[in-house]
């Protein structure tokens, strides 16, 4: 298992994240919005996104959840575990839910329901990557960076067995 072909360059990611941030900032109100990032995968995307949002005039509160859906390197367990919940009160807030990639959609669907159950007024979802061909749940992120084919990718926060998160670009995992 190793890093294969480059799929999305560092430059293309930067342009895309800034474009997404401009769209999101024009829609959301900074005083009622909380960004919630799903760790570990969203860490790089979220940190670029929050700085981009602030350049576009939106500086929301930020919190995190630890959610796991993958038991081994690349196989879905089909179950979403919330290992750590948000600590900020979400009642009557708009939540900008940030994840690295939407695959089966189970994580996004489960966490969105969970956040509504905690009293959020609205949940806006965004993901850098979307793999619609693998979808099991009827959900799509409100804001998507890139739609990709059914390939397993690493880098820019995305891992395979916790490796390769640090790569500044997105590459295909070589089996
Ligand atoms: P879902 O619940 O099946 O949509 O899976 C979402 C989670 O699976 C993401 O937050 C990622 O952590 C992980 N995941 C799905 N596809 C990939 C991939 O190609 N590379 C790395 N992680 C992935
Ligand atoms: Mg992951």
């Amino acid at each position: 298992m190793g890093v294969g072909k480059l799929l999305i360059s560092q430059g293309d990611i930067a342009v895309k994240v800034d474009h997404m941030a401009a769209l999101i900032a024009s829609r959301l109100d900074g005083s009622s919005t909380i960004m919630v990032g799903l760790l570990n995968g969203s860490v790089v995307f979220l940190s670029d996104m929050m700085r981009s949002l602030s350049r576009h005039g939106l500086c929301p509160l930020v919190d995190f959840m630890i959610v796991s859906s993958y038991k081994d390197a690349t196989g879905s367990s089909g179950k979403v575990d919330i290992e750590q919940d948000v600590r900020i009160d979400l009642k009557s807030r708009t939540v900008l839910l940030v994840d690295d990639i939407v695959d089966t959609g189970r994580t996004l669907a489960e966490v969105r329901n969970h956040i509504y159950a905690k009293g959020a007024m609205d949940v806006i979802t965004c993901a850098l990557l979307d793999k619609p061909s693998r979808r099991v749940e009827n959900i799509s992120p409100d804001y998507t960076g890139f739609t990709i084919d059914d390939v397993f990718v690493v880098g820019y926060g995305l891992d395979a067995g916790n490796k390769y998160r640090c790569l500044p670009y997105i590459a295909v995992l070589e089996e």
Side-chain angles (χ1 to χ4, degrees):
M1 206 165 68
V3 178
K5 179 168 96 54
L6 172 81
L7 192 65
I8 309 169
S9 73
Q10 210 174 333
D12 287 350
I13 295 171
V15 169
K16 184 67 79 175
V17 171
D18 197 61
H19 181 64
M20 292 172 83
L23 291 174
I24 293 169
S26 69
R27 171 168 171 194
L28 298 184
D29 164 17
S31 62
S32 65
T33 302
I34 299 183
M35 262 177 116
V36 174
L38 303 188
L39 295 177
N40 296 337
S42 79
V43 63
V44 182
F45 175 47
L46 183 126
S47 59
D48 281 347
M49 174 60 79
M50 64 197 270
R51 287 174 292 179
S52 234
L53 285 173
S54 98
R55 283 194 291 276
H56 291 283
L58 189 87
C59 194
L61 301 183
V62 181
D63 204 351
F64 298 94
M65 291 173 68
I66 299 180
V67 176
S68 68
S69 61
Y70 272 50
K71 283 207 161 54
D72 52 18
T74 63
S76 175
S77 67
K79 186 173 172 293
V80 179
D81 288 323
I82 295 177
E83 293 174 12
Q84 186 185 294
D85 206 346
V86 276
R87 283 156 295 179
I88 300 178
D89 185 8
L90 301 181
K91 274 196 195 71
S92 307
R93 297 289 199 149
T94 298
V95 172
L96 176 63
L97 181 58
V98 181
D99 203 3
D100 50 359
I101 185 166
V102 181
D103 185 31
T104 63
R106 287 190 185 108
T107 304
L108 204 62
E110 182 99 357
V111 173
R112 189 184 60 174
N113 291 344
H114 175 82
I115 288 174
Y116 273 124
K118 291 178 81 81
M121 188 177 64
D122 202 4
V123 183
I124 310 296
T125 55
C126 86
L128 181 70
L129 304 174
D130 189 9
K131 272 197 243 180
S133 60
R134 300 240 321 149
R135 203 70 95 246
V136 171
E137 291 288 333
N138 182 21
I139 189 169
S140 279
D142 296 309
Y143 298 91
T144 301
F146 302 92
T147 298
I148 64 170
D149 294 336
D150 181 12
V151 285
F152 200 86
V153 293
V154 292
Y156 199 71
L158 291 105
D159 71 302
N162 263 321
K163 284 165 76 178
Y164 311 123
R165 290 192 202 277
C166 52
L167 299 175
Y169 49 82
I170 307 255
V172 176
L173 183 75
E174 217 160 58
E175 296 296 340

